[in-house]
Amino acid sequence: MTVNQNDQLKDGKVVLPSKWLFWKHRRYIVALMTFFGFFNAYTLRGNLSIAIVAMTSNRSETLENGTIVNTEPEFDWSNETRGYILGSFFYGYITTQLLGGYLAKKYGGKIIFGTGIFVTGALTVITPWLADASVYLLLAARIIEGVFEGVTYPSMLGLWSKWAPPLERTGLSMMSSAGSYFGTVITMPLSAALAEAFGWRYIFYFFGSLAVAWYALWLIIVANSPAQDTRISETERRYIESSLEGIISKKDNEVTIPWKSIASSKAVWAICMSNFCENWGFYTFLTQLPTYLKDVYNFSLGTSGFLSGLPYLAMGFMVPISGQMADFFLSRGYLSITKCRKIWNFLGFFSQFCFLMAVAFVSDEILSVLCLTFAVGIGGFAFAAYCVNPLDIAPQYASIILGISNTFGTMPGIISPILTGYIVSNEPTVEEWQIVFFIAAGLYLFGAFFYITCSSGEVQQWAKQKETDQGGMYGACDITNVENNN
């Protein structure tokens, strides 16, 4: 075995550097880059929820003599039209979930993940011109953005199937996913600030350009697998690859996909239903929270943007924390994978049910925002369950299963904004918004018990390799990993 400058010797054995020296671990660099990838992805999909408020609100201009003149909204769209515009992204997003998983399995996650975000960013830059030209061009652009961003989550799991050692997969996956929530957090207040300072058009210019810049770095820094990474140490490469022996076939791209077994698996259906239930609430808040705060509590655009970001700030912290907690309990042997996934999912979903029911009945704006923040934040535990679960039950087909799961999870993004547009009238009432929260809370409760009943953390029989590979569940690794002691 080759020992290079990144390797350390202890009692004559090569050991990996401390995990705190993250820049010496290529898998942590991949996690950091995917974090910023999802950060960009969610700024691109979430900025419209703030921009549309500015685009459809009455405007005021101060003339040179100090006179304030009120003008009509730049776009006179009804609630129903706004619902279709906000949901249009998901019309495209739902079409490429399975395709993204398949392409990532066949060609690797790097190019699929990066290209999806790049095209979405480029279209975001030209969104103001499309909106000025026609509402139909705006709808078409958002649909196409959804098509390209739909490949991101499945391809990310395809990337981690090659990069994540089994006992680190929850933490690494959740570190990546946390970018989604921090992206949402930043989007809300920053979009409001950009709209108030420069106009709503600069929301799209700024976030679209940021995504394009990230893509250039992504192409340079990230590789499809440890074997293709020219900067990885020999020690880390062997550690990752040996830990995956017996899990990922060396001829993984040639493995036949057992579609019938996947479609009839209770464990797969548990993941799909959890994805649907979680995203119903998530997309409802993502697209409607600024409007809710403005309608019910009459907050300004800037205040709505700031408060709308708080729940996702909480989730941004809780998702990686819940992932690290899950890996801790698993690595110490305190919980089996199955028990860990069930407990984490139930904790997230049942907490969201309780806090959303509280939101529906409280009348104080501070309590309402706090309950929403706790609901979304503690929901981060569920992501450390069903989102990582495909790697548990079928590592070879994880990107495929997540693609199927995200197809179900995208449906709420289409249905929820439209349904909310019909429930909440042009002169909204508290009772109308209560119905919106009741629906989300009920789905969380259903999802909690469905996952407990049907989920599994064990590799399914149909997912086991047909050829004989050496190494057990976690492979035979001759490299000492002392990171947990550092």
Side-chain angles (χ1 to χ4, degrees):
M1 174 173 45
T2 302
V3 180
N4 65 24
Q5 62 182 358
N6 291 325
D7 299 333
Q8 303 175 24
L9 291 175
K10 183 176 182 179
D11 299 327
K13 296 182 180 180
V14 178
V15 298
L16 296 175
S18 167
K19 64 169 61 177
W20 298 109
L21 304 175
F22 72 90
W23 57 89
K24 292 188 176 183
H25 301 265
R26 293 299 295 174
R27 64 193 186 279
Y28 295 161
I29 298 298
V30 172
L32 186 64
M33 288 301 297
T34 51
F35 172 93
F36 284 114
F38 280 119
F39 176 94
N40 280 291
Y42 272 71
T43 64
L44 298 174
R45 77 171 67 180
N47 54 27
L48 186 59
S49 64
I50 289 291
I52 202 168
V53 176
M55 295 163 75
T56 57
S57 297
N58 291 326
R59 296 174 294 161
S60 60
E61 298 180 8
T62 303
L63 303 180
E64 293 182 0
N65 61 7
T67 304
I68 299 177
V69 179
N70 293 319
T71 60
E72 294 295 319
E74 194 165 347
F75 298 93
D76 188 19
W77 294 325
S78 66
N79 271 4
E80 289 79 6
T81 300
R82 279 182 280 177
Y84 281 108
I85 293 171
L86 290 170
S88 59
F89 175 92
F90 302 100
Y91 305 158
Y93 191 71
I94 197 173
T95 64
T96 51
Q97 296 295 323
L98 185 55
L99 179 63
Y102 175 78
L103 292 176
K105 181 175 175 59
K106 190 171 181 64
Y107 301 109
K110 173 185 174 178
I111 193 66
I112 307 302
F113 183 84
T115 301
I117 295 174
F118 168 73
V119 174
T120 308
L123 286 172
T124 298
V125 171
I126 64 171
T127 292
W129 292 291
L130 300 175
D132 288 334
S134 169
V135 67
Y136 299 107
L137 285 177
L138 174 61
L139 286 166
R142 292 291 292 181
I143 291 171
I144 296 171
E145 287 178 25
V147 168
F148 278 90
E149 213 175 284
V151 303
T152 52
Y153 263 106
S155 59
M156 181 271 290
L157 217 57
L159 198 65
W160 283 129
S161 70
K162 302 293 195 333
W163 274 99
L167 291 178
E168 297 181 35
R169 61 169 57 127
T170 313
L172 289 170
S173 297
M174 291 302 97
M175 191 186 303
S176 297
S177 299
S180 306
Y181 317 114
F182 281 104
T184 305
V185 170
I186 297 297
T187 301
M188 299 293 186
L190 185 54
S191 293
L194 288 169
E196 292 183 334
F198 305 106
W200 62 266
R201 288 170 173 79
Y202 282 86
I203 296 174
F204 300 104
Y205 298 153
F206 177 80
F207 288 115
S209 300
L210 196 64
V212 172
W214 167 87
Y215 180 63
L217 293 175
W218 174 260
L219 292 178
I220 296 170
I221 295 173
V222 175
N224 267 323
S225 66
Q228 297 178 26
D229 193 320
T230 59
R231 300 180 183 89
I232 193 172
S233 71
E234 179 70 9
T235 304
E236 184 181 8
R237 183 189 66 77
R238 290 187 60 187
Y239 165 62
I240 295 172
E241 291 180 346
S242 62
S243 73
L244 295 173
E245 287 180 4
I247 300 177
I248 299 297
S249 170
K250 296 179 180 178
K251 297 182 178 180
D252 190 39
N253 292 348
E254 302 173 10
V255 176
T256 302
I257 301 171
W259 294 107
K260 184 176 180 181
S261 297
I262 291 174
S264 59
S265 170
K266 289 197 306 180
V268 172
W269 277 102
I271 295 169
C272 292
M273 291 307 300
S274 288
N275 204 324
F276 180 91
C277 295
E278 171 60 35
N279 280 322
W280 184 281
F282 184 86
Y283 289 134
T284 297
F285 302 144
L286 183 66
T287 58
Q288 302 296 334
L289 195 50
T291 304
Y292 164 74
L293 294 174
K294 179 176 176 293
D295 287 347
V296 176
Y297 299 112
N298 199 30
F299 287 134
S300 66
L301 179 61
T303 303
S304 294
F306 172 76
L307 294 177
S308 297
L310 288 180
Y312 301 100
L313 178 62
M315 181 172 268
F317 282 108
M318 286 305 304
V319 164
I321 288 173
S322 65
Q324 292 297 326
M325 288 175 62
D327 280 349
F328 173 82
F329 280 94
L330 291 172
S331 63
R332 297 299 192 277
Y334 298 149
L335 292 172
S336 67
I337 295 176
T338 299
K339 288 181 179 179
C340 183
R341 301 298 182 229
K342 288 178 184 289
I343 292 171
W344 260 237
N345 196 81
F346 186 84
L347 179 61
F349 275 18
F350 191 74
S351 297
Q352 287 173 307
F353 163 75
C354 294
F355 282 111
L356 279 185
M357 292 300 293
V359 171
F361 291 105
V362 299
S363 57
D364 180 81
E365 61 265 31
I366 295 177
L367 283 176
S368 182
V369 171
L370 281 176
C371 288
L372 281 169
T373 301
F374 280 114
V376 177
I378 298 177
F381 276 87
F383 281 84
Y386 77 86
C387 281
V388 189
N389 207 191
L391 286 169
D392 301 323
I393 66 170
Q396 294 187 89
Y397 314 112
S399 62
I400 299 290
I401 294 172
L402 190 63
I404 297 171
S405 167
N406 268 8
T407 301
F408 282 85
T410 305
M411 292 177 184
I414 298 172
I415 303 169
S416 175
I418 297 173
L419 181 61
T420 302
Y422 280 102
I423 293 173
V424 180
S425 63
N426 289 327
E427 295 183 2
T429 64
V430 173
E431 289 74 19
E432 290 170 343
W433 280 107
Q434 280 181 332
I435 296 173
V436 174
F437 291 123
F438 287 152
I439 294 172
L443 285 170
Y444 281 132
L445 187 62
F446 170 76
F449 287 100
F450 190 93
Y451 190 85
I452 277 187
T453 304
C454 299
S455 65
S456 173
E458 304 300 321
V459 177
Q460 303 298 287
Q461 189 63 39
W462 47 266
K464 294 180 179 178
Q465 294 182 34
K466 294 182 180 179
E467 70 248 39
T468 302
D469 286 323
Q470 295 192 357
M473 174 65 185
Y474 297 114
C477 182
D478 63 353
I479 299 174
T480 305
N481 178 16
V482 296
E483 292 179 295
N484 290 331
N485 297 324
N486 289 291

